[in-house]
Amino acid sequence: MIVIRNPADTDSYLSGDGMACPNCAGPLSRWGHGRNRTVRSLGAATTTVRPQRLRCRDCHSTHIVLPAELQPRRADTTEVIATALTHKANGLGHRRI
């Protein structure tokens, strides 16, 4: 899983030497898309994202590029998780959060 601040910048990182395989540091290339993911935002809003997949040309491992506002393997955005942690630090219980 590769987390990137702005997924639109993936092309510029792939064309230069800005992005390499986390396993072997080999060159990465596009490899389709991952499945659609629907995550919860603040309030009742949801966001649907179709993340880009990359494949290493050397070790043939695949990686997903996620925007920074999403967390790997979580159904909530980073903003929702940070808000819940802030409320917990202020003494609220899980029902009120």
Side-chain angles (χ1 to χ4, degrees):
M1 190 84 49
I2 299 172
V3 178
I4 189 168
R5 187 175 293 171
N6 185 5
D9 294 339
T10 303
D11 289 332
S12 63
Y13 289 133
L14 286 175
S15 63
D17 292 332
M19 191 181 297
C21 177
N23 296 337
C24 71
L28 294 170
S29 60
R30 292 187 175 276
W31 192 256
H33 290 89
R35 65 176 177 84
N36 287 341
R37 299 163 193 232
T38 302
V39 294
R40 294 181 295 251
S41 298
L42 286 178
T46 60
T47 303
T48 302
V49 178
R50 187 174 180 210
Q52 176 71 45
R53 290 181 69 195
L54 304 175
R55 184 174 184 203
C56 177
R57 292 184 208 153
D58 293 342
C59 69
H60 303 291
S61 62
T62 59
H63 307 282
I64 294 286
V65 177
L66 278 182
E69 61 262 6
L70 301 180
Q71 293 294 313
R73 298 174 207 77
R74 297 289 179 254
D76 297 310
T77 61
T78 303
E79 185 178 21
V80 171
I81 294 170
T83 303
L85 290 174
T86 303
H87 288 315
K88 181 63 178 170
N90 290 332
L92 293 177
H94 72 278
R95 287 188 182 97
R96 296 213 36 213
I97 293 173

